[in-house]
Amino acid sequence: MDDYESPIAQESLAVIAKPLAGKKLHKRLFKLVKKATKAKKVKRGVKEALKAIKKDQKGLVVLAGDISPIDVLSHIPVLCEESNVPYVFVRSKADLGAAGATKRATCCLLVTAVDKKNCDDSELVELYSKCLKEVKALE
């Protein structure tokens, strides 16, 4: 996450990586993913995220922008738009995997909808709503 501004990181991003999270949102999203992982509110990987979206599960989709080949996840933004699920790209799949508490890099995560009814952690609920608001503003 330290090389956020580096030109090498810019070149490795896919053309379709839009909307891309800004530096502040980037950090906030990784914090959200870490907290949501501890609360077991995360679906990791393309398969799990797609299954949840197709079952009309709401949440926030976080995609990695440095995936090669991009065809692996090029269909997810379209599906998200059809299902009214907000999505955002981050720069690094390695950082996304680390935030999601996996040893491997992850190209896609779905943070399931968190509200006061289904979660006891008020800090997680507040963080989720902030991130959701910022992501919707990017679209």
Side-chain angles (χ1 to χ4, degrees):
M1 286 191 289
D2 297 324
D3 63 334
Y4 186 85
E5 302 292 332
S6 80
I8 297 170
Q10 282 289 97
E11 291 173 5
S12 67
L13 291 177
V15 178
I16 67 163
K18 292 178 180 82
L20 185 65
K23 192 172 186 176
K24 198 172 186 180
L25 178 59
H26 203 257
K27 287 182 180 179
R28 195 171 282 151
L29 283 169
F30 285 129
K31 187 176 179 183
L32 171 68
V33 170
K34 284 180 184 177
K35 285 192 155 296
T37 300
K38 287 180 184 174
K40 296 188 180 0
K41 300 285 183 187
V42 172
K43 304 286 185 191
R44 290 181 199 84
V46 175
K47 247 178 144 178
E48 279 189 51
L50 276 179
K51 193 186 323 180
I53 292 168
K54 286 181 180 178
K55 288 183 177 180
D56 287 330
Q57 192 169 14
K58 297 299 177 190
L60 174 64
V61 176
V62 183
L63 303 162
D66 63 344
I67 296 298
S68 179
I70 196 62
D71 296 340
V72 171
L73 56 80
S74 61
H75 58 289
I76 295 176
V78 175
L79 233 145
C80 287
E81 287 173 6
E82 288 174 355
S83 302
N84 291 325
V85 176
Y87 66 94
V88 67
F89 282 87
V90 293
R91 294 183 180 274
S92 172
K93 62 184 176 188
D95 289 344
L96 191 58
T102 59
K103 293 178 183 176
R104 298 186 60 121
T106 303
C107 64
C108 180
L109 283 174
L110 170 74
V111 180
T112 57
V114 178
D115 56 12
K116 291 182 180 179
K117 292 178 185 173
N118 65 3
C119 185
D120 298 333
D121 189 358
S122 62
E123 190 178 340
L124 175 61
V125 173
E126 185 179 323
L127 189 60
Y128 176 79
S129 61
K130 275 185 184 178
C131 287
L132 192 64
K133 190 177 178 182
E134 287 184 44
V135 169
K136 285 183 177 180
L138 287 175
E139 294 176 347

